[in-house]
Amino acid sequence: MVDSGFGEDEVVQDFIVESQEHLSDIESELLQIEEGGENIDSDLVNRVFRAIHSIKGAAGFLGFHVINDLAHNLENILGLIRTEELIPNSYIVDVMLKAADTLKSLVSDVEGSNDEDISEHIEALKKILEGETQEGSAENLETLVDVEIPDLDFPMEFEVTKHQLEQAEAMGNSLFLVKLDLFEDYQLQGKNLMDLVKDLLEVGEILDSGADLSSVELETGIESPKMGFFAILSTQKGREEIAENWGLPLDRVLPVPSSMADSLGIGEGSKLSQEPKDMAPDVHSEKPENVNSLGHAVKPEETGETPGCESPASAGQGMTQVTSEIAEKPPTEKPPTKTKEPQLTQPKNPTESKKGTGKNQRKTSQPKKTVESNIRVNVGLLDLLMNLAGELVLVRNQLTQSISNNQLDALGAIGGRLDQVTSQLQDAIMKTRMQAIGTVFNKFPRVVRDLSQKLGKKCQLEVQGKDVELDKTIIEAISDPLTHLVRNSVDHGIEAPLARIDKGKPEVGTIQLKAFHQSGKVMIEIRDDGKGIDAEVLKEKALEKGLFDPVQIAAMSDRDAVNLIFHPGFSTAENVTDVSGRGVGMDVVRTNFDKLGASIEIETVVGGGTTIQISLPLTLAIMAALVVECAGQAFSIPQVNIRELVRIKASDIDGRIDSVNGAEVLKMRGQLLPLIRLKDALHMESQDLDDSSDQAINIVVVESGMTRYGLLVDNLVDYEEIVVKPLGRHMKDRIELAGATILGDGEISMILDVSGLAQKQGLAVIDQEAFHGSEEGGPETNSDQETLILFENEDKETFAVPMTLVSRIERIPSEEIDMVGGKELYHYHGQALPLLSLDRLISSNPRVSQDTYYIGVFSVGGVELGLIIPKLLDIRDFSLVLDEGFREKGVLGSFVHEGGTVRILDLFEIAELENPDWGLKAEATSQGVDMDKQILLLVEDSDFFRKRVAEFLEESGYEVLTAEDGAVGWELFQQRHNEISVVITDIEMPVMDGFELTSHIKGNETYKDKPVIALTSLASEENQAKGVAVGVDAYLIKLDKEQILATIKKFCYQTVGV
Amino acid sequence: MVHETTVEQSLQLVTFLVGDHYLGIPLQGVQEINRSLLMTPVPDSSRIVSGVMNLRGEVVTVLDLKFILFGEKTEIGEDTRNIVVNVQSERVGVLVDRIVDVVNVDRDRMDDLPPNLEKSGRQFFMGVFQTKKGLLTMFEIDAAVRESEGLEV
C-alpha cells in the first residue's frame, strides 16, 4: 500500500474526479491524432499532453507511483509527437490507447493501483520511445527467415527478416523470386546497374538479392556469357505482369513457396505465394467473409470457438501472438537469429495466466473504494437555482404572513406564484440532471475501430448530435444496449471489404450514429450500409429453432420477421461470435430500452443496410400525461403515446364503431383502428349501470412503436405533469402499468403502458405499409374533405375553424385571463397572448363564463393570437358544401351538420376585427404592388382552400387562375405560361402532386425561371428539403395571408424586372 | 450478566389479530401503523394486493395479510389497520383486523409449531409463545411479503 496521501480522502477524491475528467476525452482525441497522421494538430496533442501531465503530477504527489509511471511514459511519447519527432501511426496510437485504458482502470481503483502490473505497457511505450514504431519491429528486424526455393538450379540462400514478411503480409503483397541475366537482359540492351535497381523498385520492394557468380564463364570466345542475378520482391503485381516487365518467360518468375510462410506460423488460410489476382475470385466464391486480404484469414465464426487463441485457427490470431510472445520476452534474452520454426503458435505463457488470476484475487479481496458520482453544473444554471430558491423563500414569507394576518383573499395570488416558482425550479433542477449524449457516443469511435480491426473489416463511424441532452439516468442506462447495437452493426451489418467491393459498394462501410429531438423525444439512429437483415433467413431460423409454427411464420409480415431478432433465444449470427455473442441477445437490448420507456424500430433493406431507431423520453421522472377516468378511477396515459382524442356522439356510435369477427374497431378517416375498452381490458366493474348507448364516448387514440389503437375510456379529466413513482414488486409483472403517480388531490393514478396494454390484449403489430395504403385509397385524398375544429359558443351556436390554420390548442384556466384596456390577454411562456372572443367580434351570443377555456392558437403576420373556444366539440373531417348566406366579416360561410348550422370562421378577418393593425399589415403589403394585374396560377385540390386563397388574392388585386390538381395545373400552365407570373401550388394532391408539378416546370428550359410557391400544411423538414430539391422557390405554410402576399409580391417584382 | 442475557433474548412483538388468529411480528421491522385505509384499488390485480396507498408521496403496495396466510379476504372494518413494514428496501403495507399490543417475549421460550397446524400459511410461521392473552404465533413478515409475489391466486 501507499504510505502517503491517504489521510486526505478529499484530495484523493478530487484527484479521481479530475483524472477521470481528463481521461474521458482522451480516447477520441488519440483517435483524432491517429487520423491526422503526419498532419499533427499541435493544439490537440497539447491538450492530451497536458491532461496526462496533470495526472502524472497529481499521482506523483499522492504517491500513486504506478499511475505516475504509466502517465510519465505516455507523456514522453506525446512529447515526441508534439515536437513532431514522432509521427503517430496506428501502432503507436494502439499502444497509447491501451495504456490509456489501463490508466483509466487504475484511476478508478487508485488504492489498488500500486499493486497493478503495468510492465507490459511501460515496455511497449519505451520501445516506441526508442524508435520502434511498428508492431514488434525491433526483434523482427533481426529475426531472419530462411528462404528456400525448391526448384532453384543452383545453391543460393536468401535472407529475409520476419519483419519484412509481416510487412508484405500486412500490405497484401506476394513474394516472387525473379531470375535475371545481367548480361543478356542488361548489358546487351545497353542498360547499366542503376537501371536494374530502378526496374526492380518499379515492381516492388526488394527483400533480398544476389548474383550467382559461379555461373559466369570467363572464357573468351563464348558469345553469351551468363551472369545470373536473383531478387526476392514483395509486390502487389501478378506473376505475368512481372515477367512482362522484363520480357521474361514465366519460369523465371517464381512464386516464393508457402513453406516459408508456414515457418512464420501462418496457417492454411494464408496464400502468401499465390497471386492475389487469382486468389480473389476463387476464395471469394467459397467463403466471401473469411479472407479480406492476402493471408489475412479472419473467420468471425471461428473466433468464438477458439477463445483465448489456443489453436492457431487463423493467421490473424497467429500474427497477434507473434507480437505478444515477443513482447513478453525479457529484453536480456537475445532473440535467436535464423530460426526456422519460431514457436509462435504456442498458447500463452502459463505464468502469464497465473499472474492474471493472482491479480483478480487481489482485486476481490480489496473492496474498491467507491467513487461518489459527481455531476458538473453550469454556473449560470446554479445561479438560476439560487434565484429560484430565493423566490421560493419570498413566497413562503408572503404565505405565512397572509395566513397570520388572515388575508385569505391574497392566497390565490400567492398560490399562483408558488405554482410558477415551483415549476421553474423543477425545470431548472431537471436541467442539472441533463447530460450530453456525447458522453456515450464518444466511446464508439474506439469500439468501431477496434472491432473492425479485429474482424478485418473496414468501417468508418459518423457521429451527429453529440450535444443532445438526456437525463443522467437515461444516459447511463443506454450505454450498454447502444454499444451492443453498434457492435452488431460492425459484426453483422457491414460486410468484409471484398464482399463489399463485389457488391459495388465502397470498400469502407459507414455507420452513422445520430441523436436528435423529435416531438418531445430524443431519437437515436444507428444506420449502417451493410448487408441488411433478410426476413426470409430469420423466418427460416425461427422455424428451425421451433420458436413459431409454420402457419405463424407464413402469416408473418417482413416487418414482424425482422423484429424476430428481439425474440429471446434468437441470434442472427450463424454461430455466436465472441464479438456480439456473449450470451447477450437483442432481447436483452430490447428489455433494457423498454425499461426506459423507449421504443425501438428496425428498418432494413437486404443488401442496402439497416437503420435502427430508438426513441427515448427526455427524462424518466416527470412526464406529461392525460388523466382519464374509467370505472370511477383515474388513469394516466403518457402524452407521448397519444395521437389524438376522438369523441363520438351517441348518435354516431353505431356508424363509427363496428366489429370484425368480434373484435371492435373504430372507423376513422377511412381506416379501421382496433379498439380496446379500458374497462374490459382491466376487468373493472362498471359503476354506472346506464352506461352505453345514450352517451357520447371518448376514445384516446394511442400509439407506441408500431402499434396504434383506440382506447375507450369513460371520461377525459385533464392534462397534467405527473411525477412517475414506481410500483411495488407485487405489480412488477403488470406490463400494462408503467407505474403510478399521485395526483393533485393526493389520489393515486395508475400510469398505463400503451404497448404493454396492447400486448396484453394480444394486439398484433399494425403493418404501417398497409396502413398508409388504406390512407391513400381512403377518403383522405378526397379533395372536398376538410379537417375542422368544431366548437360551440352557446348551446345553439356552432362554429368551425380549419384545423390546418391552428397551430395548437391549449387549455387555460379562466382566472389567468387578464383584462388590459378592454382586451383579453393570457400570459404564456413569458409572452402575452392576445385572446379573441367571438361574442365581441361577430354577431353571436355572449360567452358564458367557465372555469377553463380552450384556446386555438394561430398566427397572423408573425403575431400569435388565441381564439377562445368555450366548448370544444370535435375535430374531424367534413365534406364541405359552403353556403355563403351567412357571410359577414369574420365568417366565411356556413354548412349544415347534424341538423344544425355551423359557421366557418375566417381567422384572419377575425384578427383584423379585433385589431385592424393585424389585418392592415397584410393589406399594406398587398396594396403596395402597383402594376398591371398580375396573373397567378393557383393549384389546390381542396375546394375550400382554393376558394379562400383565390378570394384573398383577388381582393389583393391579382387575377387568379385555378386548377384542382397538378395535371390540370400543368395543362393550364403550358397554355398560358406567358401571362402567369407566379405559380402557387399545394403539395398533397391527387393525380399529380405539387412536387411533380414543380419538377415539370423547373425541368423545362422555357419555364424554369417561373417562381413556384409551395403552399402546404406539411411543414416537415423532409418535405421542405424535397421541395427545395425539385426547385420550389418558397415554401409557405397554409394559410398565413400576410406571408403569402409578401412572397407573391416579391416574386412579381422579380418577374417584372426580368 | 443475567440482565444482559435477558436483554438479548427479549423480543418486542407487535401483536394483532387476523381473523381470530393471534399473531405477532418483531417490532423492529415495523415502520408505522397506519389508520388511513385510503387505498386505490389496482385493477385486475391478484387478490393478495388490496391496493396502493399514498404514504407521504410514496406509492406503497398494501397487501391483504389474511389472504396470504389463510386464503380469506379481509373485510375492512372499524379496527382494520395497515402495518407498514420494510421488506428488502421496499415499503409495503399489510392489513390486519385489529392491533392488539406490543409485547415483550423471551426468545428462549418460543415453542415449536404444533405439527397438526393447518398447512395454509404454515411456511411463514416461526413458533408459538404462551401469553396471558392466549397463544401468540410469531411469523416472518419478510418471507410472507416476499413469497406472496409469486403466489398464484
Side-chain angles (χ1 to χ4, degrees), chain A residues 645-659:
Chain A
L645 305 176
V646 178
R647 185 180 165 87
I648 300 177
K649 286 199 171 165
S651 56
D652 287 351
I653 292 177
D654 287 344
R656 298 286 300 273
I657 294 179
D658 216 328
S659 69

Side-chain angles (χ1 to χ4, degrees), chain A residues 948-968:
Chain A
R948 299 287 80 73
V949 177
E951 206 173 276
F952 82 72
L953 290 178
E954 276 162 6
E955 275 171 20
S956 312
Y958 295 98
E959 194 179 324
V960 184
L961 302 172
T962 58
E964 60 264 22
D965 66 50
V968 179

Side-chain angles (χ1 to χ4, degrees), chain A residues 726-755:
Chain A
L727 283 172
R729 61 161 70 85
H730 290 81
M731 260 85 78
K732 69 168 189 249
D733 293 334
R734 302 294 302 274
I735 53 167
E736 73 275 30
L737 301 179
T741 188
I742 296 169
L743 299 176
D745 57 1
E747 205 188 314
I748 293 174
S749 156
M750 296 289 156
I751 302 168
L752 296 176
D753 183 316
V754 167
S755 60

Side-chain angles (χ1 to χ4, degrees), chain A residues 182-381:
Chain A
L182 289 181
F183 188 74
E184 200 174 293
D185 296 331
Y186 280 83
Q187 188 163 359
L188 284 187
Q189 293 177 23
K191 293 193 213 169
N192 62 22
L193 286 178
M194 283 312 288
D195 293 325
L196 169 69
V197 178
K198 254 186 233 162
D199 285 348
L200 286 171
L201 285 177
E202 229 164 68
V203 174
E205 195 186 341
I206 311 164
L207 299 191
D208 197 13
S209 62
D212 176 17
L213 297 177
S214 63
S215 68
V216 181
E217 294 179 32
L218 294 168
E219 286 171 40
T220 47
I222 293 175
E223 289 243 327
S224 54
K226 284 193 186 304
M227 191 184 285
F229 178 82
F230 305 88
I232 291 185
L233 297 174
S234 158
T235 174
Q236 295 268 347
K237 292 191 171 140
R239 194 172 164 187
E240 281 94 4
E241 221 179 316
I242 300 170
E244 227 168 79
N245 208 37
W246 282 279
L248 296 175
L250 263 191
D251 61 352
R252 284 174 63 182
V253 180
L254 296 177
V256 176
S258 53
S259 62
M260 200 179 79
D262 285 345
S263 73
L264 252 184
I266 298 170
E268 297 156 46
S270 149
K271 313 227 167 169
L272 198 61
S273 62
Q274 220 170 323
E275 290 171 36
K277 274 189 182 166
D278 289 350
M279 184 202 72
D282 175 39
V283 173
H284 192 77
S285 60
E286 290 250 11
K287 285 180 180 174
E289 301 278 67
N290 292 350
V291 179
N292 71 334
S293 68
L294 184 73
H296 205 115
V298 178
K299 297 184 180 181
E301 295 91 340
E302 272 179 26
T303 47
E305 287 159 15
T306 57
C309 311
E310 264 158 5
S311 73
S314 68
Q317 285 177 353
M319 296 304 295
T320 39
Q321 271 190 286
V322 173
T323 51
S324 60
E325 185 82 3
I326 285 162
E328 272 163 33
K329 274 178 192 152
T332 46
E333 195 182 309
K334 272 209 170 172
T337 42
K338 286 201 180 187
T339 37
K340 258 185 192 169
E341 283 177 300
Q343 296 178 333
L344 297 163
T345 53
Q346 268 184 0
K348 280 203 173 179
N349 204 323
T351 52
E352 158 79 8
S353 60
K354 255 187 217 160
K355 217 175 1 178
T357 48
K359 221 186 276 179
N360 285 344
Q361 278 164 359
R362 238 193 346 257
K363 257 187 190 157
T364 44
S365 65
Q366 263 180 28
K368 244 188 195 175
K369 183 174 185 137
T370 49
V371 181
E372 289 167 41
S373 49
N374 284 276
I375 198 162
R376 294 238 142 183
V377 180
N378 178 295
V379 178
L381 193 57

Side-chain angles (χ1 to χ4, degrees), chain A residues 2 14 32 77 112 133 181 232 264 302 307 389 414 441 506 524 664 766 861 870 897 900-901 917 965:
Chain A
V2 185
D14 282 350
Q32 277 178 45
I77 296 195
T133 57
D181 189 321
I232 291 185
L264 252 184
E302 272 179 26
I414 295 171
F441 279 10
I524 298 177
E664 273 191 303
I766 297 168
H897 172 62
T901 304
D917 279 355
D965 66 50

Side-chain angles (χ1 to χ4, degrees), chain A residues 891-1039:
Chain A
V891 179
L892 286 169
S894 64
F895 67 98
V896 177
H897 172 62
E898 287 173 358
T901 304
V902 180
R903 278 185 272 177
I904 301 188
L905 303 175
D906 184 328
L907 288 177
F908 300 99
E909 283 182 4
I910 284 181
E912 198 179 326
L913 285 170
E914 172 80 11
N915 183 344
D917 279 355
W918 294 325
L920 276 179
K921 244 199 232 164
E923 267 169 35
T925 45
S926 65
Q927 280 160 5
V929 192
D930 182 26
M931 59 179 79
D932 290 341
K933 256 201 171 176
Q934 298 272 347
I935 300 179
L936 310 175
L937 173 63
L938 173 65
V939 189
E940 163 72 75
D941 61 321
S942 149
D943 271 347
F944 174 81
F945 272 110
R946 195 169 60 242
K947 278 187 191 151
R948 299 287 80 73
V949 177
E951 206 173 276
F952 82 72
L953 290 178
E954 276 162 6
E955 275 171 20
S956 312
Y958 295 98
E959 194 179 324
V960 184
L961 302 172
T962 58
E964 60 264 22
D965 66 50
V968 179
W970 178 229
E971 282 282 298
L972 200 58
F973 179 80
Q974 281 171 302
Q975 285 166 20
R976 304 185 60 176
H977 67 91
N978 283 331
E979 304 159 59
I980 295 168
S981 323
V982 178
V983 178
I984 300 150
T985 176
D986 185 25
I987 293 299
E988 290 279 282
M989 285 185 295
V991 193
M992 184 193 284
D993 68 11
F995 292 132
E996 205 182 331
L997 174 65
T998 311
S999 56
H1000 274 308
I1001 296 173
K1002 294 294 177 183
N1004 186 304
E1005 263 311 301
T1006 334
Y1007 313 143
K1008 69 176 172 28
D1009 294 325
K1010 203 65 78 179
V1012 177
I1013 300 175
L1015 203 58
T1016 179
S1017 46
L1018 296 170
S1020 76
E1021 275 180 35
E1022 202 182 315
N1023 270 316
Q1024 296 221 16
K1026 201 171 164 193
V1028 171
V1030 296
V1032 167
D1033 294 281
Y1035 208 96
L1036 303 180
I1037 305 307
K1038 276 178 193 168
L1039 217 180

